Amino acid sequence: MNTTTTNGLVSSTPTSSVNSNNGSQPLSNSPGRIALIGIYVVVLMVGTLGIVLMIKVLKCNLRSVTTVAVLNLIVAHLLFLPTIPFRIHYYVRDSWDLPPEMCRMVSFMIHIHMYISFLIYVIVLILRFYIFYKRTESPDFHRKLHSLGASGTIWIVVSIVMLVVFKSYGDDNIKNNTTCFTFGKRTGELGVRVINYIISGVFITVPIVLCAVQINILRSIRRQYGATFSSQQEFWAQMKSLCFVLIMLVCFVPYHLFRIYYVTGITVEKESQNEIFLAITGLSCLDLLTFVGRGACYSCGRIFRL
């Protein structure tokens, strides 16, 4: 057992938790360990609550493009949330006692969840902006079968991409079975760094552009209705869109800003910080709470608004 003294306080660290190859502590021993546990507990609880509250979407108008987009967002969350207990388990026990391939899968899913959620956000926001500027109704599928077919096609493509990417995801040589989520080795390759720069650029630029458009829309509503703008249904509909924009700015942009710095050179400290920023992306599961409200639900006769 190793004993260290920090600011006059003595703490002990199990020798088995120290990486024998580089003498550094794994991510679970970093100062952000408690923060990681707290973030993932919040993500799991709020994400599950959001899904439970949104189950009624399954009974609503499946011909609406927006409803179908939200339905796919729920599926993305359903794929991600079951992996969170494994992360909590790892940081609580300070050790990974499951197969290395399971570690890769758990780590892989948080990235897939981020990319799919980001894509759905962009689609929903562009659709809402189009409706606002064109002063048209929300487009619908002609039949429920068409919406299910479109969703099925998207997920088939996503599944194929996931399988292909997963084969090359992470380091091929996990050093031991007690350390997890340390897959930064390949980022030292020039091609991998360039891909990361491009992806991070997209994740940073797109939300900023969408935010600018959203602010312009809110200003237009303010000019149109004057002092009564806050009582208009159109204003509150756009506020829900603003929530999506804020989720992207708060959950995704910080991670990708740090990612640009992270891939320039991997260190143990950077890996610890990267895990915290990555955990924050999981807070995007709060998005479903944005949809809890009132509105028309054609097929179930209830009140629901997207």
Side-chain angles (χ1 to χ4, degrees), residues 72-278:
N72 283 279
L73 193 59
I74 293 175
V75 174
H77 294 338
L78 283 173
L79 291 175
F80 168 59
L81 289 175
T83 67
I84 295 181
F86 294 102
R87 288 182 171 272
I88 298 174
H89 174 78
Y90 171 61
Y91 290 114
V92 169
R93 286 182 55 86
D94 197 14
S95 176
W96 184 262
D97 50 12
L98 297 173
E101 287 299 314
M102 188 65 183
C103 171
R104 291 178 63 213
M105 175 59 74
V106 172
S107 182
F108 179 69
M109 286 308 301
I110 193 171
H111 291 278
I112 291 298
H113 173 259
M114 175 174 56
Y115 296 140
I116 294 176
S117 298
F118 179 82
L119 179 61
I120 294 176
Y121 294 157
V122 172
I123 292 174
V124 171
L125 287 170
I126 291 178
L127 176 62
R128 288 192 166 195
F129 294 165
Y130 175 82
I131 293 172
F132 176 82
Y133 284 113
K134 293 296 183 179
R135 298 296 177 179
T136 184
E137 297 292 331
S138 176
D140 291 340
F141 291 100
H142 293 295
R143 297 181 180 179
K144 291 183 179 180
L145 184 62
H146 294 166
S147 63
L148 295 176
S151 299
T153 301
I154 292 174
W155 281 103
I156 290 174
V157 174
V158 169
S159 299
I160 294 174
V161 173
M162 287 173 58
L163 290 174
V164 173
V165 175
F166 180 72
K167 289 183 179 180
S168 59
Y169 177 80
D171 296 339
D172 295 329
N173 53 335
I174 299 178
K175 297 180 177 60
N176 55 65
N177 290 333
T178 62
T179 304
C180 189
F181 311 133
T182 54
F183 299 115
K185 182 178 178 181
R186 292 194 61 192
T187 56
E189 301 175 8
L190 178 60
V192 175
R193 288 206 308 270
V194 171
I195 293 175
N196 274 273
Y197 290 146
I198 294 174
I199 293 175
S200 294
V202 171
F203 269 77
I204 294 170
T205 304
V206 171
I208 292 175
V209 172
L210 293 175
C211 183
V213 175
Q214 185 66 69
I215 292 175
N216 184 63
I217 290 176
L218 291 175
R219 289 178 59 188
S220 298
I221 296 176
R222 176 69 172 84
R223 289 195 302 266
Q224 180 179 355
Y225 296 105
T228 62
F229 75 97
S230 60
S231 62
Q232 301 298 319
Q233 179 179 351
E234 189 175 26
F235 170 77
W236 291 107
Q238 292 302 324
M239 288 301 294
K240 290 191 175 185
S241 297
L242 180 61
C243 288
F244 271 118
V245 175
L246 292 178
I247 287 173
M248 288 194 291
L249 290 174
V250 173
C251 297
F252 298 155
V253 172
Y255 169 72
H256 285 279
L257 284 171
F258 178 80
R259 189 75 180 177
I260 295 175
Y261 166 69
Y262 172 72
V263 299
T264 58
I266 307 301
T267 64
V268 174
E269 182 180 3
K270 283 186 178 181
E271 284 191 334
S272 175
Q273 295 169 348
N274 183 69
E275 279 300 306
I276 294 176
F277 280 108
L278 185 61

Side-chain angles (χ1 to χ4, degrees), residues 21-42:
N21 289 323
N22 54 22
S24 59
Q25 292 180 323
L27 291 176
S28 58
N29 277 345
S30 70
R33 176 183 171 192
I34 301 301
L36 286 166
I37 295 174
I39 292 173
Y40 284 122
V41 168
V42 171

Side-chain angles (χ1 to χ4, degrees), residues 289-300:
L289 300 181
T290 303
F291 292 106
V292 178
R294 295 172 58 85
C297 177
Y298 302 129
S299 62
C300 61

